[in-house]
Amino acid sequence: MIYLKLFVVFTQIGAISFGGGYSILKAIIHYVVDTNKWLTLNQFNEIVAISQSTPGPIGINAATFVGYKVGGIFGSIIATFSVILVPILSSITLYLFYLRHSENKVVRSIISKLKPVVLGMIAAAGLSFIRTSLGTPLAIFVNILAVGLLIKTKIDAVTILVLSGILGCILLR
């Protein structure tokens, strides 16, 4: 039963995943944390952190990790397949349609009007993470320090990420 539920939930998430991985994180939070209560928000944020540090699109990685947490290896396969099913089918269909009607003014207008919607979905996901990640004084300090190092030095972003993780581990002991 959990596998069917994973399939339905991640197919729905995939169906609204315009704009890429970051834009669907808010939808994943809604279905996984709020609606089904499979994970807490902190657990989900940990999954997002892992998803960002592994190769591949963050939305697909997050779906894979959530599927694994909820249903093991088979759950991760189902969640991953489900979240990409509708976008792949939609992309193929829309591409074929676009090839035929790319010069149409209505088609051009629709594409230009989707841009602010995607931006809004990405902003909503970002605001959701800011509220939870900047909650403690330690987190605020580490974030400000990391941003300061990025702006004022020539230290690589990956190095700052690793140093921030080490500093967080040391200060949280």
Side-chain angles (χ1 to χ4, degrees), residues 62-78:
T64 303
F65 288 122
V66 169
Y68 182 77
K69 273 279 219 199
V70 173
I73 291 174
F74 193 60
S76 68
I77 293 168
I78 289 173

Side-chain angles (χ1 to χ4, degrees), residues 29-88:
I29 289 171
H30 172 72
Y31 284 105
V32 170
V33 176
D34 300 333
T35 303
N36 291 301
K37 310 244 186 272
W38 288 334
L39 302 171
T40 66
L41 188 56
N42 285 336
Q43 288 173 315
F44 182 76
N45 286 340
E46 290 171 1
I47 284 175
V48 170
I50 293 168
S51 298
Q52 288 175 321
S53 63
T54 55
I58 188 169
I60 295 172
N61 290 348
T64 303
F65 288 122
V66 169
Y68 182 77
K69 273 279 219 199
V70 173
I73 291 174
F74 193 60
S76 68
I77 293 168
I78 289 173
T80 304
F81 172 77
S82 301
V83 82
I84 65 171
L85 178 64
V86 173
I88 287 174

Side-chain angles (χ1 to χ4, degrees), residues 86-101:
V86 173
I88 287 174
L89 295 176
S90 298
S91 294
I92 291 168
T93 303
L94 287 173
Y95 177 71
L96 294 173
F97 178 83
Y98 183 76
L99 283 178
R100 289 181 160 226
H101 305 287

Side-chain angles (χ1 to χ4, degrees), residues 23 43 62 93 95 131 139 151 157 167:
S23 66
Q43 288 173 315
T93 303
Y95 177 71
R131 276 185 272 157
I151 292 171
L167 182 61

